[in-house]
Amino acid sequence: MREDHPVDLLLVSLDPVPTDLAVTRLRCVVEGLTHSRSWVIGPPGFVDELDADGRRTVGLTLSLVTALPPWRDEIDETVDRAHLEEVKLVIDEACRISAEVSASFTVYLAGVLVGQIDRGGRDSLLRIGLIGEWERILEADSGPS
């Protein structure tokens, strides 16, 4: 992998209007995740910002080495597997918060909607489309040559 390899952002955003309890829980989770492991690029970040139209975005972000073409073949399998584990950990924590405080989350990767979390559960787009497909590709890549 080259040093100038582009980075994508995973955003796990509270929807639609975050409660104070959900924001507090999310902030605590992000702080806990920071020191929970060694992260490939860096730990998740906490986001609480207003856009130009006054819409509030509260969530967490995670930087990932891009797997979008033409970069997919340049990602080291160890890095790709580590990123998958990081994403699963972040999503598991969002599911836990969702169940605890009845919050919903929308998940974006590189600005593209990749799934939703509601009442602690992942939708099929997240389970099958993002995580399942990522696991399938890693299995195919490590299969017999």
Side-chain angles (χ1 to χ4, degrees):
M1 184 170 65
R2 297 186 342 222
E3 280 188 29
D4 64 340
H5 196 105
V7 173
D8 286 328
L9 197 63
L10 180 80
L11 170 64
V12 182
S13 173
L14 278 164
D15 287 327
V17 177
T19 65
D20 289 342
L21 178 58
V23 172
T24 300
R25 287 292 302 126
L26 185 60
R27 186 184 306 272
C28 289
V29 163
V30 170
E31 289 171 6
L33 287 172
T34 297
H35 305 292
S36 69
R37 62 177 291 149
S38 176
W39 298 86
V40 174
I41 294 177
F46 180 76
V47 175
D48 188 350
E49 57 192 30
L50 293 174
D51 68 12
D53 296 325
R55 287 184 297 254
R56 185 178 182 198
T57 298
V58 177
L60 65 85
T61 60
L62 180 65
S63 295
L64 306 167
V65 173
T66 190
L68 296 173
W71 302 99
R72 173 75 187 113
D73 293 335
E74 293 190 24
I75 298 176
D76 179 89
E77 185 178 340
T78 305
V79 169
D80 205 13
R81 286 185 185 284
H83 272 323
L84 174 60
E85 292 309 311
E86 290 175 354
V87 168
K88 287 164 73 173
L89 177 60
V90 164
I91 295 207
D92 286 349
E93 289 297 319
C95 287
R96 194 167 52 81
I97 293 169
S98 174
E100 287 175 5
V101 299
S102 299
S104 296
F105 290 88
T106 302
V107 182
Y108 300 91
L109 179 58
V112 176
L113 175 69
V114 293
Q116 296 186 312
I117 298 167
D118 192 35
R119 294 186 204 122
R122 301 158 184 85
D123 70 357
S124 61
L125 189 58
L126 195 52
R127 277 190 336 270
I128 298 166
L130 179 66
I131 303 296
E133 184 64 11
W134 198 338
E135 291 172 334
R136 186 195 65 74
I137 289 169
L138 283 171
E139 286 175 21
D141 287 351
S142 66
S145 29

